[in-house]
Amino acid sequence: MEHDTDEILIERQGSAAILRLNRPKALNSVTLPMVRVMKRAMADFIDDPDVACVILAGAGERGLCAGGDIRKIYDQGKAGDAAVTQFWREEFPLNYTISHYPKPYVALMDGITMGGGVGLASHGAVRIVTERTRLAMPETGIGYFPDVGTTWLLPRAPGEAGTWMALTGNEISPADALFAGLADHAVASADLNGLVAALGALRADADLEAVEAVVGRFSLALPEGSLSQNRTVIDRAFRFDTVEEILSALEHEPGDFAKDSRATMLKRSPTSLKLALRLLRLGRESSGLVECLEREFAAGTEVLRGHDFYEGVRAAIIDKDRNPQWQPANLGAVSDTDIARYLVIGHHPLFPDHRL
């Protein structure tokens, strides 16, 4: 199979085809060439009678994927490069492809799995966490918002767990990922090689049920996670449709969980908080993943015209001072009209043949 990057390794183990993200020094953050290789390879695997399932894994010891290559997006946006949105224009349809893939798609979320990594994993049919999994959608901390179709996934988590994840951006544990519906099974990290070998030993015509049966042999039970333990507080405080009401509710909740959640939110971009909440509420009422991806693409395009994304990336990964100066700096200065401009679907949709 021809491909034009070594940033993804395409491997075979028996009937299992393995896509291994291969930028370990960058925590396997995803580039446009990687998206294109994945798309081509997955199309080829559909027609390959010797492939029973496709496995997504990450190279190195630190994790599956820390997200998209935001430094590249930052540089292109700053330079006014018209190609800056091309990454999302191709990444988001890949998320949809994963969600509807006809062969079992198995994601190994071992270690850090954040942002775009969640998009590559949690739309799959069989999502596996390990004791090392650290999952998050941390975008409000860089002046952005949860994307890659998570405005479809997060509203479908129990209660308001997805709202808490989107607004705080905090990491969750493997047990929390299972609770939130972003993963299906927990497997010990040390058993992953054995799991891959067992999947590769399946007949080439094995179906999802057969794959699930193999994974079930390796599955672990996990103790209750923080999201489940704090569900009552989360549901009570995060049920509101404005960020101000949520913050007020958290202020009146006892305990460190509410206090810490509120303190974290107050450090995030006010614009991002309001945009993320609006996108999640719209996602809750949407017809499907495509509608959410179209809306996210429109919002991302508008974000690149603003201030906070560039300031957030500067503070997080360029100067690394962890002290972003948001504009506007407070929630009261972000109006509904301000947010509305992020929600206008453009003239060149990602899925022109799909009726919303």
Side-chain angles (χ1 to χ4, degrees), residues 129-151:
V129 290
T130 75
E131 75 281 0
R132 302 186 333 114
T133 299
R134 294 165 52 197
L135 189 148
M137 294 303 295
E139 288 82 3
T140 57
I142 58 163
Y144 191 56
F145 60 89
D147 64 348
V148 294
T150 59
T151 63

Side-chain angles (χ1 to χ4, degrees), residues 70-72 74-75 78 309-322:
I70 59 171
R71 178 60 188 264
K72 178 75 170 178
Y74 172 94
D75 289 341
K78 277 285 193 181
F309 171 74
Y310 301 103
E311 175 61 9
V313 174
R314 179 206 64 76
I317 69 168
I318 297 175
D319 297 338
K320 298 183 180 179
D321 59 25
R322 305 290 175 180

